[in-house]
Amino acid sequence: MNHTKSTGFLAAKTARFRTLRTVLIVPFVLQIFAAVGVVGYLSFKNGQKAVNQIADRLMAEVGSRVEQNLGTYLSVPHQVNQINAAAIELGTLNLENLPVLQRHFWRQLQIFDTLTFTGLGLEQKDNLGAERLDDGSLTLRISTAASNYDFRTYSTNESGEIAQFLNNKTNFDPRTRPWYKAAVSAGKPTWSKIYPNTAGLTAYLGASMPFYDKQGKLQGVVLTNINLSTIGKFLESLKIGKTGQVFIVERSGMLVATSTGERPFHTVKKDYGAERVKAIDSKNIFTKTTAQYLAANFNEFQSLKTAQSLEFKIQGKQQFLRVLPWQDDKGLDWLIVLVVPEADFMAQINTNTASTILLCAAALIAAIIVGIVTARWVSKPILSLNDAAKNIAKGEWGKSVTINRDDEVGELANSFNSMAEQLQLSFTEMQALNAELSENESRLNQILEAVPVGIFVADSSGKPYYVNSRAQNLLGKGIVDNDASEIREIYQAYKAGSSELYPAEKEPIANAFKGESVNVDDMEIRQPDRIMPIEVWGTPIYDDKGKVSYAIAAFADITQRKQAEKLVAEYNRTLEVQVAERTQELKTALDNLQTTQEELIQSEKMAALGQLVAGVAHELNTPLGAIRSSAGNMIKFLGQTIINLPSLFQSLSPAETDTFSQLMYRSLQKDMTLTAKEERKLKRALIRQLEGEDIEEADDIADTLVDMGIYEADDFLSLLQKVDRDRVLEIAYKLSEIQRGTQTINTAADRASKVVFALKTYARYDSSETMVQSNITEGIETVLTLYQNNLKYGVEVSRNFAKIPPVMCYVDQLNQVWTNLIHNALQAMDNQGTLTLDILQEGNYIKVSVTDSGKGIPTEVMPKIFAPFFTTKPPGEGSGLGLDIVKKILDKHRAKIEVASVPGQTTFTVALPVNLPETIS
């Protein structure tokens, strides 16, 4: 008895908790709370994930920039050493001629502004070089037997000559210095350990290289220094988050450079008074703590062999850390370390989290209040409707509901009363309809069974739904409950005349489910006792929403038709033989016509296939041809020149050798921007000058000098008046051509790589480059230099360049735009005419216009010029990608391009925003 009461009490209690009001309130509140909570949580987690991704990408990009710039920066000193060692070996630099050596090293510092010192030390204790001071001024530093080996420092004038004495270091021996010892020990180009300069004011990284005489005896060491502070200045220019930093350390833990401005050495009162600073002893807390973390976890920096992305804490705050090992083939083994506080990215996310929590609480309270009020207002009349519905379920049709309300619930009550009346009528009608539907279904089955073709119906899953008796007879099976993919195998449906199942992609039922009506007559049904060819019609059946719900396949046995077709085919073959015997000449002509037609079709097919390949090949052939040509000329000239150099220098006096060096130096400074007209004018002036000096064969000599970039002969008359001047000029010309061939190869290789990059950009556009400040005018001048050979034989270039500010852009990509526009302009003129370039600023836009004097773009072609693969050029002369790539690059810069064309004047105008944001999403 007690058990019964307890059960009843629990049932009543459960029922109360499951009232309509509870059902309305609780899910409503839970949905609001859950939705806001999930959104808030996902917002926080997505924010954190986005922060990690941004931090990783930022640090990867900065690390890549540091690696690239460091590699480029540190390659220059060894290149300068190789130049100096080669000059000494060839005799261009005379170790006994101090003025020439001083001027040579002083000029190198002018050319290579990243170098701090360049010079040499000799086994006989002499030391000579030029040094750049912190204020940018250039000095000469000399220690010889004449000065009793005192290392004297002199300031210089604008010509590199000694101006005044600055300071002196007594009894200096370069052979005791780290850079000298390192080169002698290695026997090849190497880096010395980082060491203080002689004044002890800073620390140098020295690139040194030993050089030997012809007998292999050590003569001395050439040295090129860079100042560690210049690496630090580059690191300071990088922006890594708000407070992030980057520093470089050696494997020993010694600090090389840092973006914080901290010097990697400190000055002490002694000779060469600059001592290195360990990263773990840095005065910067981030540098110090990061170094301590890496030293403790990676065996004092020794086990860091690959790039690492890490996280750790400084003073309880999370930090993002990336370590990049960096090495070169000269002995450097450094670590590039980037560290960014997580707080640089998390401030906005923390604010959003707090706002989300407050909104969740407010939404929950409001939902509870609104839910209670709404539930009371809604549930009362609904409960009345519920009671009335129960009465109708019992068959009590006469009871109605009275609710005096004018809203939807009142309308629902009225509708409910009407529905009850109509339901009683509908119930009677439904009974009659069910009887009629049953009769119609029976009639439809009779019709389908009576049709003389097989009917196969599949449902939306592809499984058999209905198979009439004719279909069962033809297939040998009725409905089989198997997976839709096995139907062809179950019913043995084969490709006619083969041993393969009928292809799934041509199967009529499958195509009907795709919304296609198909007809096939190449299917066979194979039964144990016969093979039956059939023709199948597949048709989709749609529901009221336009979706395919069933597929019907109607099929018939076409054995007799196939046999008749076979008889007709045999008859036709017999008839063809008879006709062939009587009309052999006509058949031969027909065969020739068919062969010609097939060749024409194949030719058209191959031409279409080759358009893209030919276009890309055309874009690459020019630079590859330049590389092959230049390389061939260099090999030929180098072989011819090396043999004659020793005898040439033996025949020249010291003064003539110096003049020859000046001739080579001036040739390497050749102005590549001169037009053919300007060069002809300079050549005529040079011929008059040579004839005025009574020099024979002035025309030929002027030709050679102009080709070398020499337009005045005042400084070289002593060479030109020699008896063997032709041999001297020939060797000088070939040496200059070797240098220009190298420049041509570099330029051609760079152009070829940009063509490949442009084609890759068209196929997958995801630049992760970093935007930098760039001068548009310089980029266009670079492109004009690349096209100098195309310009100088028939194109007059008109430059109208206003002074404009630098803009933020992707430099290489923007240069590709100028390359494509200028290339198209030259082709439009057939390299004969006027090319006009205009640069000006209008408001917030830099406008660049490229105008050619070609025949113009036809009106019907104009809408298609930016479409990919569209070209009006013959196959093999263009890929049709140029202007499409231009459009994509300009879209990336949020720039606009317009084109206007009339015969004799076609202008492409690019409008580039000046204040372009550094990051474009």
Side-chain angles (χ1 to χ4, degrees), residues 383-586:
L383 291 175
S384 299
L385 289 173
N386 183 46
D387 292 337
K390 291 177 179 178
N391 292 331
I392 292 176
K394 295 176 183 178
E396 299 175 0
W397 303 96
K399 294 185 178 181
S400 60
V401 180
T402 302
I403 298 177
N404 296 319
R405 287 172 58 164
D406 296 329
D407 57 7
E408 290 83 354
V409 177
E411 293 178 359
L412 178 61
N414 295 331
S415 299
F416 184 84
N417 293 330
S418 299
M419 180 189 67
E421 295 175 1
Q422 294 176 5
L423 190 60
Q424 187 173 9
L425 296 174
S426 298
F427 183 74
T428 303
E429 294 175 356
M430 189 176 298
Q431 290 178 326
L433 288 174
N434 284 338
E436 184 179 353
L437 181 61
S438 178
E439 182 181 353
N440 289 337
E441 184 176 356
S442 175
R443 187 179 298 113
L444 177 61
N445 285 335
Q446 293 176 12
I447 293 172
L448 292 177
E449 290 296 327
V451 294
V453 297
I455 302 296
F456 184 98
V457 182
D459 62 18
S460 58
S461 65
K463 293 183 178 181
Y465 175 77
Y466 173 80
V467 180
N468 71 350
S469 58
R470 177 58 176 164
Q472 294 179 30
N473 178 263
L474 294 175
L475 297 175
K477 295 181 180 66
I479 294 178
V480 180
D481 188 14
N482 283 82
D483 189 88
S485 62
E486 302 173 351
I487 288 180
R488 292 173 299 146
E489 184 174 357
I490 291 171
Y491 291 107
Q492 293 292 291
Y494 282 81
K495 176 78 173 176
S498 73
S499 60
E500 299 178 358
L501 290 173
Y502 198 79
E505 65 273 10
K506 294 180 61 178
E507 203 275 317
I509 290 289
N511 283 281
F513 278 117
K514 297 177 183 178
E516 301 175 4
S517 295
V518 297
N519 170 235
V520 300
D521 62 354
D522 57 347
M523 183 183 294
E524 290 179 350
I525 299 298
R526 298 188 180 178
Q527 297 181 9
D529 57 344
R530 62 172 176 165
I531 297 176
M532 178 177 54
I534 61 173
E535 183 174 7
V536 187
W537 295 267
T539 306
I541 302 299
Y542 298 91
D543 59 17
D544 55 355
K545 295 181 180 179
K547 183 178 179 181
V548 178
S549 57
Y550 293 94
I552 294 180
F555 54 94
D557 182 356
I558 56 172
T559 302
Q560 293 181 353
R561 193 181 83 186
K562 289 292 185 181
Q563 291 174 348
E565 289 176 354
K566 184 176 180 180
L567 290 174
V568 171
E570 291 177 356
Y571 174 77
N572 287 338
R573 282 195 294 271
T574 302
L575 183 62
E576 287 175 1
V577 170
Q578 294 174 351
V579 172
E581 292 174 351
R582 284 174 283 179
T583 58
Q584 183 62 41
E585 184 177 345
L586 180 61

